[in-house]
Amino acid sequence: MIATTNQIEVHKVKESRIPQVDWDNLGFGTVFSDHMFVVEYRDGAWQKPEIKPYGTIAFSPAISALHYGQAIFEGLKAFRNDKGEIRVFRPERNAARLNKSAKRLSMPEYPVESFVDAIQQLVELDQEWVPNGAGQALYIRPHMFAIDEYVGVRPSQSYMFVMFTCPVGKYYTGEVKVKVEREYTRAARGGAGNAKAAGNYGAALMASAQAQQDGYNQLLWTDSSTHEFIEESGTMNVIFRKGNTLFTPAVSDSILDGVTRESVLQIAKDWGYIVEERKVSVVEVIEAIKNNELDEAFGAGTAATIAPIRVINYEGNDFTLRPYTEWEFAPKISDYLDQLKRGLQEDTHQWNKRVV
Ligand code: COI
């Protein structure tokens, strides 16, 4: 069936795959909803966007994204409540960051309003795919990549921008153990660490896999020149609490400005906490754990939301924080954000976009 809604041509599936979904075992990123949004950039302009059945796309093996890594992505989520209402959390913020990443990788920007409108239409069409179980959401994955069939190195002249969605469960199911990485680095000064570039994730895989073999969920990445200052944890920003103060590495050209990070820090300020965005040294954190002064440490990201860090391994030793049941902030912000995103808390900052 073909329909045109607000300039997006919509081709619907003949039959939904919904009956095949095992809603109690969604995992993360393995189940894909019925439709996807696709638009191409050619001859200096974005072409006609389409929503069509989710499926494979054929490409030449020469497309430049595959060779030179002009590929960027975003992650955001849609939430359902018991009344059947559906909201997407801060889509304008992800649209703006996509454009920041695009600029860094010499790719074209996509208009913020068109990004938000595409999400509205895609999620509305696939609204039955938005789960509402505890910890569940519809993960939306916008991504843009270079499709010039050309092997010379230059910014591609053509691109594809695609968004598909996945009903997901929790990314991490419990407390997280991390290992301080002092040899490899996620991003260097002057690099593209603050862009959500596919290559940043690929380059992090080897060291992360090594940490997992050693029994840790993720790495605590440190700065590239001294390895003394904390940057991120795995694919998340990292936040610490000591008493009434939350402190976190300040964003820089090697640290991603996470939407969850920014939201958590804003709410913490609303609640009267002191928030410090600054350099955070590994030694400061380890000493604070040793002196029983570090109250909490957690990762903040779209996929995981809040991931409590219980163990930090540094130079071969595990340093353990007190049990999560004794923590004050992470459980509270975790519940608050969940309720806010489902429309069950007053949306004081007008972060939600109501879709249904
Ligand atoms: C997100 O939290 O959306 C991320 O970027 C993590 C993702 C790579 C799974």
Side-chain angles (χ1 to χ4, degrees):
M1 187 212 213
I2 302 180
T4 305
T5 333
N6 231 356
Q7 272 99 52
I8 302 180
E9 196 171 279
V10 182
H11 303 256
K12 291 187 187 170
V13 292
K14 291 203 182 73
E15 205 176 336
S16 173
R17 287 178 282 103
I18 280 236
Q20 298 159 25
V21 178
D22 177 358
W23 295 99
D24 296 327
N25 294 295
L26 288 174
F28 188 93
T30 54
V31 179
F32 301 92
S33 316
D34 283 331
H35 299 92
M36 62 184 182
F37 169 88
V38 183
V39 60
E40 280 186 30
Y41 181 91
R42 292 192 185 280
D43 305 321
W46 288 104
Q47 306 296 307
K48 193 154 183 48
E50 273 181 284
I51 288 179
K52 57 188 195 181
Y54 172 85
T56 52
I57 307 175
F59 290 111
S60 150
I63 62 166
S64 36
L66 296 177
H67 301 268
Y68 309 123
Q70 269 190 301
I72 55 175
F73 70 97
E74 276 300 320
L76 65 165
K77 283 176 172 170
F79 298 82
R80 177 193 289 277
N81 65 21
D82 287 343
K83 292 181 264 179
E85 298 167 354
I86 295 173
R87 290 170 172 79
V88 178
F89 190 64
R90 307 193 71 178
E92 296 86 1
R93 184 66 178 65
N94 291 87
R97 192 174 59 187
L98 180 90
N99 286 340
K100 200 167 130 188
S101 302
K103 202 166 169 198
R104 180 65 184 82
L105 274 92
S106 295
M107 299 166 79
E109 297 186 13
Y110 194 71
V112 172
E113 319 78 65
S114 308
F115 178 105
V116 175
D117 182 57
I119 287 181
Q120 158 87 45
Q121 293 190 42
L122 185 62
V123 175
E124 195 176 340
L125 180 61
D126 278 340
Q127 56 183 273
E128 298 306 323
W129 288 85
V130 186
N132 76 340
Q136 294 183 332
L138 186 77
Y139 187 74
I140 305 163
R141 173 49 70 90
H143 55 296
M144 191 196 295
F145 50 95
I147 57 171
D148 271 8
E149 195 175 358
Y150 177 64
V151 182
V153 181
R154 62 156 196 217
S156 181
Q157 289 165 4
S158 55
Y159 295 87
M160 186 168 269
F161 178 44
V162 180
M163 302 199 215
F164 59 74
T165 68
C166 316
V168 294
K170 290 191 169 126
Y171 196 74
Y172 291 113
T173 42
E175 295 164 1
V176 175
K177 288 171 77 176
V178 301
K179 187 175 169 192
V180 176
E181 176 59 59
R182 304 197 71 215
E183 183 182 353
Y184 296 105
T185 193
R186 194 194 78 90
R189 292 300 308 273
N194 66 346
K196 215 160 167 63
N200 291 339
Y201 294 76
L205 291 175
M206 192 186 75
S208 305
Q210 183 58 54
Q212 278 157 17
Q213 272 171 27
D214 296 342
Y216 298 88
N217 303 86
Q218 267 304 348
L219 291 173
L220 203 51
W221 293 106
T222 52
D223 71 285
S224 59
S225 45
T226 67
H227 292 295
E228 281 174 18
F229 296 96
I230 295 170
E231 300 238 302
E232 295 188 14
S233 180
T235 59
M236 301 176 289
N237 294 113
V238 61
I239 302 176
F240 303 92
R241 181 177 74 83
K242 250 176 155 184
N244 197 36
T245 302
L246 267 87
F247 57 105
T248 185
V251 289
S252 68
D253 55 3
S254 59
I255 299 180
L256 196 77
D257 56 340
V259 180
T260 306
R261 172 191 184 279
E262 189 192 271
S263 309
V264 167
L265 299 184
Q266 180 59 58
I267 296 163
K269 285 180 201 162
D270 296 347
W271 287 349
Y273 286 89
I274 297 163
V275 170
E276 295 176 355
E277 296 180 65
R278 58 171 171 83
K279 283 188 157 204
V280 177
S281 81
V282 181
V283 168
E284 170 186 359
V285 167
I286 298 300
E287 285 302 312
I289 303 178
K290 280 190 194 160
N291 299 333
N292 213 19
E293 285 168 4
L294 191 75
D295 295 306
E296 304 182 40
F298 54 91
T302 299
T305 314
I306 303 294
I309 297 173
R310 185 73 200 293
V311 175
I312 301 180
N313 180 281
Y314 176 56
E315 293 187 330
N317 298 308
D318 278 352
F319 295 90
T320 306
L321 282 86
R322 59 178 74 103
Y324 184 65
T325 47
E326 295 174 22
W327 293 18
E328 155 198 311
F329 185 82
K332 195 165 120 190
I333 192 84
S334 212
D335 285 353
Y336 181 88
L337 280 174
D338 186 68
Q339 302 260 309
L340 173 68
K341 293 168 177 179
R342 288 176 203 270
L344 307 174
Q345 279 286 351
E346 195 192 342
D347 185 9
T348 45
H349 295 286
Q350 275 134 42
W351 284 338
N352 282 321
K353 161 116 185 111
R354 177 90 182 264
V355 172
V356 173

